[in-house]
Amino acid sequence: MLIVQKYGGTSVGDLERIKNVANRVAKTKDAGNDMVVVVSAMSGETNKLIEYAHYFSKTPSKREMDILLSSGERVTASLLAIALQEMGYGAVAMTGRQAGIKTDNSHTFARIESINTDTIKKEIDRGNIVIVAGFQGINENGEVTTLGRGGSDLSAVALAGALGADACEIYSDVDGIYTTDPRIEPKAKKLDFISYDEMLELSSLGAKVLQNRSVELAKKMGVKIVAKSSFSEGEGTIIAQEDESMEAVLVSGIALDKNQARVSLRDVPDKPGIAADIFTKLADEQINVDMIIQNASKEGMTNLGFTVPQSELVRAKKVIENGVDHEIGGADYDEDVCKVSIVGVGMKSHSGIAATAFSVLANSGINIEMISTSEIKISMIVDEKYGELAVRVLHDAYELDK
Ligand code: ADP
Ligand code: ASP
Ligand code: MG
């Protein structure tokens, strides 16, 4: 079998842990498998590098950031290869370029366009374990690019897909996907299985256990992911296409996204074109607007609220101040909000799920500031200080610990 394994930052967090990973890789190799191993930077390393850059500049150039950030993964890939070689195994470390990973040009958030697996295959045929530095590739000009935070998950899925691997195992410090972040709700339950669609919602809505783009790609390429812990044995959680015969669970999980900020525009003239104007200007600045809410108009004026990632609030504020301020009554900005989301494919065919959520939060004295729904999710913006409490009371209400 050809197995792709990915080890995240905590799993390679220090030299002892890299040694632990080497032992696990060796064990799988000894069982007669071919192996490609993708590694993240040591935990905290990427953040540290970002801080270093911010010491010199608030807006460091993205091209240079990519060269800087890609170094973290190279450290772990080479160390793991050296550890394995010392144990008597044939192992080769590769950067994204050496692994044949081609991306588009968007520095710090590049998309993988293709993978030339020739070099990897050659090394596998020689009996070597291939260790790939995650989170990186090169663009058409041969410049280093990175794949967005958490991007080593994407490297692993893309390689598993391109190589037609028999398994894609993603190792972290949790032994699978839980009904919610076990750090927030210790009663959270591990799931044996979760569908691509549900996992995609959970990751997109803040559960960082898997990068959302990696789940998207896994679905597109039909790569079955198994999420496991590098610190224990266990079956983990399978992320795959839902089976028609399976009974859809009503609610499979709850996610919390603290990286949210709210913008409220007061006294916006209620006339055609104004929303288009505001949101076009935001889009032109690549600001990701998430939830939007508009009140019924009163005397030709309305209030318009929306959320953006916290890191984009400063830029959003600039757009409002420079672009539309003269047309509206005023604007307020609030960083202390978060988004709580309930996800489940069963919502497609059941009613009352939203009603339960609203009353449970009301009973806990938590005010809902914004709501948005899709076929399989309900998201609510609440005051950041109530975010974790909201997760726990909702987890209880849908009996996810049962
Ligand atoms: P790695 O560094 O290995 O990529 P991450 O820190 O990105 O690992 O992801 C693992 C973490 O994700 C866990 O420690 C856990 O706190 C968090 N997490 C959030 N939501 C969930 C969930 N639904 N199930 C499991 N873990 C979750
Ligand atoms: N090291 C990168 C990050 O911290 C990529 C990854 O770990 O997947 O975001
Ligand atoms: Mg991660």
Side-chain angles (χ1 to χ4, degrees), residues 6 150 153 208-209:
K6 178 256 168 177
D153 293 338
K208 67 163 194 164
V209 59

Side-chain angles (χ1 to χ4, degrees), residues 92-113:
V92 275
M94 293 186 191
T95 64
R97 178 182 65 76
Q98 291 169 315
I101 299 174
K102 294 259 166 61
T103 73
D104 65 12
N105 293 325
S106 62
H107 281 292
T108 73
F109 203 62
R111 268 180 195 286
I112 295 179
E113 285 184 337

Side-chain angles (χ1 to χ4, degrees), residues 6 8-9 40-42 46-47 69 73 134-135 148-153:
K6 178 256 168 177
S40 286
M42 294 161 102
T46 308
N47 287 341
L69 297 188
E73 269 64 14
F135 179 52
R149 296 308 304 267
S152 298
D153 293 338

